[in-house]
């Protein structure tokens, strides 16, 4: 640690005359250089000299996971040194759900300059089974006197919560969450009980600075969830980032005025809820500052007319009230949603998912999609769009649509959803794969006809079948279906679709086409080469042509 720092010498000149000692640079300049290094590089740099160690140590311990400071694989002396440094330098602390409560309390109490704590709850993994509310309360109590902020992820409501709540002696009569700024719930298969939801509501009412709230009800599709039941003088804090998934929204305009506050919201996700009822009750003027909007309606199967009315409401909201959307993820009736609403956000929109409500995989059924003319209009106006996901009808998969997609100046990520080209009465030679051949042809057009410029395709996906799941025997394994396509069985569900991916290198000299499968399976590589020349680096894997 006492050795002098390294010397940088200019080539071709005498070292003693032009040498530059790195440690002669001021600390501010060294900080700018060191910030570009990988964390592993910082650890190595700390061993160079004492000055570098003094500069780098606060950077290493600025944000640390608590489990690394408690790793019993290291000697106790090393852990003690690390913990002492963490107490002094740590500003952001990450806590998992399998750490003892005593250790959490010790670090929260002794870390002097703590600014934020991110706690990820892991139900069933904790070494000390405890009511999740008690965990939140204990952490919040230690942070209450300081300026640190608490972020909670994967929070889960438990059914036997009432007794644990009463035995624990809370909720307290004072504000419960003066440090809690973010609460994100995890998915669950169990429908939340009314008592658990009531306790969650009480927590929200006592968190005056809460900015982010993500609610997730039961994960079962097409099953209405529950909603908060408010009493007089109960009003939620003004959320900035709100997600409601499987929430049975039945609040009217009067309820919203009394109990909800959308005045500061900039990110909104409405997933599997009755969207029309939400839009009927919330003033559009409160949603004018939205930058991120994600809407998926479930009411089509329950109230078909309300689902169509929701599309009309969304069109009005996006066209006339919201000022500048950056990301839009919308599932609606495309024939009722004119693209002029998208043109309003041409100077701000960077990501667009624009899909029609679910329609069966029937080959003879018309699928409403954006046509080539609409895509051309969008390509000329959406100069900032970088990511696009849309539906495509396999019967109308014309080259003009693909050519229009090539004209987006900054588009680098593309997802196209379509049906299989295989028909029940069709016959194919052994070894032929019509869906793969169609995807290969589309990829070739997209690469060869790409608009000249610095932006290259980073990832293009053609999703055949829509990833719709149906329950089957989990032991059924893989079963071939018509035309040598496959129906893959995993996680107890049978998925009859394909997922073809194109990735292009930054240089544009090499392309890779592969079939992406679920995480438990390995992808199947079909092509590795250059689509512009057709030269394959894996000749035996080249797509067979007629």
């Amino acid at each position: 640690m006492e050795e002098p720092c390294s010397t940088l010498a200019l080539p071709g000149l005498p070292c003693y005359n032009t040498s530059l000692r790195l440690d002669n640079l001021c600390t501010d300049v060294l900080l700018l250089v060191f910030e570009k290094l990988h964390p592993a590089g910082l650890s190595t740099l700390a061993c160079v000299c004492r000055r570098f160690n003094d500069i780098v140590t606060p950077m290493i311990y600025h944000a640390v996971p608590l489990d690394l400071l408690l790793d019993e694989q290291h000697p106790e002396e090393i852990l003690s040194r690390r913990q002492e440094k963490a107490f002094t330098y740590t500003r952001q602390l990450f806590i998992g759900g399998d750490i003892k409560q005593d250790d959490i309390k010790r670090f929260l109490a002794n870390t002097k300059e703590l600014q934020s704590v991110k706690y990820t709850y892991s139900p069933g993994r904790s070494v000390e089974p405890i009511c999740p509310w008690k965990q939140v309360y204990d952490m919040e109590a230690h942070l209450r006197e300081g300026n640190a902020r608490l972020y909670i992820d994967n929070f889960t409501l438990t059914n036997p919560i009432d007794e644990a709540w009463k035995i624990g002696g809370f909720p307290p009569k004072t504000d419960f969450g003066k440090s809690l700024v973010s609460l994100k719930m995890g998915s669950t298969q169990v429908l939340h009980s009314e008592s658990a939801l009531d306790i969650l509501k009480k927590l929200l009412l006592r968190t005056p600075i809460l900015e982010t709230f993500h609610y997730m009800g039961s994960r079962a599709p097409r099953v209405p969830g529950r909603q908060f039941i408010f009493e007089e003088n109960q009003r939620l804090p003004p959320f900035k980032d709100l997600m409601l998934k499987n929430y049975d929204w039945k609040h009217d305009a009067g309820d919203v005025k009394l109990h909800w506050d959308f005045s500061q919201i900039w990110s909104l996700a409405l997933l599997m809820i009755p969207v029309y009822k939400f839009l009927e009750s919330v003033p559009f003027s409160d949603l004018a500052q939205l930058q991120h909007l994600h809407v998926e309606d479930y009411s089509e199967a329950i109230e078909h007319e309300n689902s169509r009315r929701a599309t009309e409401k969304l069109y009005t909201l996006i066209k006339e009230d919201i000022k500048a959307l950056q990301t839009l993820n919308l599932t609606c009736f495309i024939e009722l949603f004119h693209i002029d609403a998208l043109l309003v956000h041409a100077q701000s929109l960077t990501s667009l998912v624009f899909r029609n409500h679910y329609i069966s995989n029937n080959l003879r059924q018309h699928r409403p999609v954006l046509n080539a003319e609409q895509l051309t209009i969008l390509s000329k106006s959406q100069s900032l769009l970088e990511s696009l996901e849309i539906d495509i009808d396999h019967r109308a998969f014309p080259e003009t649509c693909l050519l229009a997609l090539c004209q987006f100046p900054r588009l680098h990520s593309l997802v196209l959803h379509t049906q299989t080209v295989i028909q029940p009465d069709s016959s194919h030679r052994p070894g032929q794969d019509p869906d793969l051949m169609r995807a290969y042809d589309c990829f070739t057009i997209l690469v060869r006809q790409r608009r000249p410029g610095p932006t290259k395709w980073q990832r293009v996906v053609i999703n055949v079948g829509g990833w719709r799941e149906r329950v089957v025997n989990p032991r059924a394994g893989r079963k071939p279906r018509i035309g040598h396509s496959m129906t893959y069985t995993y996680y107890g569900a049978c998925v009859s679709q394909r997922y073809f991916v194109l990735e292009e290198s930054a240089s544009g000299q090499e392309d890779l086409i592969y079939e992406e499968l679920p995480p438990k399976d390995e992808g199947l590589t079909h092509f590795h080469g250059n689509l512009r020349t057709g030269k394959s680096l894996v000749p035996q894997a080249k797509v067979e042509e007629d």
Side-chain angles (χ1 to χ4, degrees):
M1 300 290 287
E2 300 294 340
E3 295 298 325
C5 295
S6 301
T7 298
L8 299 179
L10 298 178
L13 295 176
C15 181
Y16 63 87
N17 191 32
T18 61
S19 62
L20 173 65
R21 290 174 61 88
L22 189 60
D23 61 345
N24 286 339
L25 297 176
C26 67
T27 302
D28 291 340
V29 174
L30 289 176
L31 281 172
L32 293 175
V33 175
F34 295 165
E35 285 176 354
K36 305 297 181 181
L37 298 178
H38 189 273
L42 291 176
S43 300
T44 302
L45 197 61
C47 301
V48 173
C49 66
R50 179 171 295 176
R51 185 185 177 212
F52 282 9
N53 180 72
D54 293 341
I55 296 174
V56 168
T57 298
M59 300 173 65
I60 294 176
Y61 287 91
H62 178 83
V64 293
L66 184 54
D67 55 349
L68 293 183
L69 301 175
L70 300 171
D71 190 352
E72 297 180 353
Q73 295 181 357
H74 297 284
E76 185 176 348
E77 181 181 353
I78 294 179
L79 289 179
S80 179
R81 256 197 327 265
R82 288 181 178 178
Q83 293 174 14
E84 287 299 325
K85 292 179 180 179
F87 291 155
T88 304
Y89 299 113
T90 296
R91 303 293 184 270
Q92 301 175 16
L93 189 63
F94 303 95
I95 304 176
D98 52 354
I99 298 176
K100 294 180 180 180
Q101 291 299 303
D102 289 342
D103 289 329
I104 295 177
K105 294 177 182 178
R106 179 165 59 91
F107 273 85
L108 294 182
N110 290 287
T111 307
K112 303 174 183 178
E113 302 294 335
L114 197 58
Q115 297 176 355
S116 67
V117 175
K118 183 176 180 180
Y119 175 70
T120 302
Y121 179 66
S122 301
R125 289 184 54 200
S126 178
V127 294
E128 296 177 324
I130 188 172
C131 171
W133 303 100
K134 188 68 166 62
Q135 291 174 305
V136 174
Y137 178 72
D138 287 344
M139 284 188 289
E140 210 281 333
H142 283 88
L143 300 174
R144 194 173 299 163
E145 297 181 358
N147 296 319
R149 295 294 178 252
L150 178 59
Y151 301 79
I152 299 178
D153 282 0
N154 200 39
F155 189 77
T156 304
L157 299 180
T158 55
N159 285 331
I161 198 170
D162 311 65
E163 294 303 321
W165 183 271
K166 295 174 183 177
I167 294 173
F170 51 98
K173 296 181 179 180
T174 59
D175 280 345
F176 177 73
K178 289 187 176 180
S179 300
L180 184 60
V181 296
S182 176
L183 179 63
K184 297 181 180 180
M185 298 179 60
S187 60
T188 177
Q189 297 280 9
V190 181
L191 189 65
H192 300 319
S193 66
E194 293 183 0
S195 59
L197 255 165
D198 185 62
I199 296 174
L200 174 61
K201 181 193 67 175
K202 292 178 180 179
L203 169 65
L204 298 177
L205 292 172
R206 297 179 181 179
T207 52
I209 65 170
L210 187 66
E211 298 178 352
T212 300
F213 176 53
H214 290 186
Y215 173 85
M216 297 186 68
S218 170
R219 196 166 52 188
R222 308 285 183 180
V223 177
R226 299 186 186 276
Q227 69 161 5
F228 295 129
I229 300 177
F230 293 99
E231 300 175 4
E232 190 177 357
N233 298 325
Q234 290 184 337
R235 185 172 177 82
L236 297 175
F239 301 122
K240 295 182 179 180
D241 179 1
L242 175 64
M243 183 187 80
L244 298 175
K245 184 173 183 179
N246 206 25
Y247 181 94
D248 191 17
W249 185 279
K250 294 181 180 178
H251 308 295
D252 57 25
D255 294 334
V256 171
K257 185 177 181 180
L258 292 174
H259 308 299
W260 292 81
D261 188 347
F262 293 97
S263 60
Q264 300 182 26
I265 194 164
W266 59 271
S267 178
L268 177 64
L270 306 174
L271 313 179
M272 307 298 289
I273 80 168
V275 174
Y276 176 72
K277 294 179 181 178
F278 178 90
L279 297 176
E280 273 283 282
S281 59
V282 177
F284 283 4
S285 58
D286 288 351
L287 306 178
Q289 302 302 321
L290 279 178
Q291 299 177 23
H292 309 279
L293 179 61
H294 184 182
V295 178
E296 292 182 14
D297 199 348
Y298 85 91
S299 57
E300 180 191 3
I302 302 174
E303 298 172 326
H304 181 71
E305 285 303 317
N306 276 356
S307 187
R308 301 183 71 85
R309 292 170 185 165
T311 296
E312 296 170 352
K313 285 277 187 180
L314 285 168
Y315 170 75
T316 303
L317 171 66
I318 294 172
K319 181 182 179 182
E320 299 179 2
D321 294 276
I322 301 179
K323 296 179 180 179
L325 279 173
Q326 295 181 15
T327 65
L328 175 61
N329 189 328
L330 186 61
T331 301
C332 63
F333 288 98
I334 289 181
E335 67 271 18
L336 301 178
F337 193 102
H338 305 293
I339 63 170
D340 57 342
L342 303 178
L343 302 182
V344 174
H345 306 276
Q347 300 305 313
S348 59
L349 197 63
T350 60
S351 176
L352 173 63
V353 178
F354 191 57
R355 301 196 60 194
N356 199 69
H357 276 295
Y358 172 64
I359 295 179
S360 67
N361 207 31
N362 187 344
L363 301 180
R364 295 176 175 84
Q365 185 172 354
H366 174 66
R367 169 175 285 195
V369 297
L370 292 175
N371 57 40
E373 181 181 357
Q374 293 171 317
L375 290 173
T376 301
I377 294 174
L378 290 176
S379 69
K380 293 179 180 179
S381 63
Q382 303 291 334
S383 58
L384 301 179
L385 195 67
E386 299 177 350
S387 176
L388 177 63
E389 182 175 348
I390 57 175
D391 292 318
I392 291 291
D393 193 332
H394 88 284
R395 300 174 308 166
F397 208 27
E399 183 177 346
T400 52
C401 287
L402 298 177
L403 294 176
L405 292 171
C406 293
Q407 300 306 309
F408 285 86
R410 295 192 181 183
L411 189 65
H412 56 69
S413 298
L414 177 65
V415 179
L416 303 176
H417 298 269
T418 186
Q419 311 104 314
T420 177
V421 299
I422 300 171
Q423 300 186 17
D425 55 352
S426 61
S427 59
H428 305 282
R429 298 199 309 266
Q432 274 193 332
D433 191 337
D435 285 329
L436 172 60
M437 294 174 65
R438 170 61 64 89
Y440 179 84
D441 292 339
C442 296
F443 288 147
T444 302
I445 293 174
L446 289 171
V447 171
R448 293 182 179 178
Q449 302 299 326
R450 177 71 196 205
R451 176 178 175 174
T455 305
K456 303 291 184 180
W457 292 118
Q458 294 181 9
R459 181 178 172 88
V460 181
V461 176
I462 296 180
N463 185 357
V464 180
W467 292 100
R468 300 294 177 181
E469 297 185 359
R470 54 188 173 87
V471 177
V472 295
N473 182 358
R475 297 183 179 179
R478 293 187 175 184
K479 296 182 178 180
R481 63 187 176 97
I482 299 174
H484 298 276
S485 294
M486 300 296 294
T487 296
Y488 300 106
T489 301
Y490 59 97
Y491 303 129
C494 183
V495 183
S496 51
Q497 76 291 308
R498 314 285 293 280
Y499 204 68
F500 300 107
V501 181
L502 163 70
E503 290 183 350
E504 184 180 19
S505 64
S507 64
Q509 301 301 315
E510 185 175 300
D511 307 298
L512 176 66
I513 296 176
Y514 62 91
E515 186 170 356
E516 187 173 277
L517 302 180
K520 288 190 176 182
D521 294 318
E522 296 181 356
L524 306 177
T525 301
H526 296 287
F527 180 84
H528 191 191
N530 194 315
L531 287 179
R532 293 183 178 84
T533 62
K535 182 179 180 180
S536 174
L537 301 182
V538 189
Q540 67 273 17
K542 188 174 181 179
V543 178
E544 180 179 347
E545 300 179 356
D546 291 333

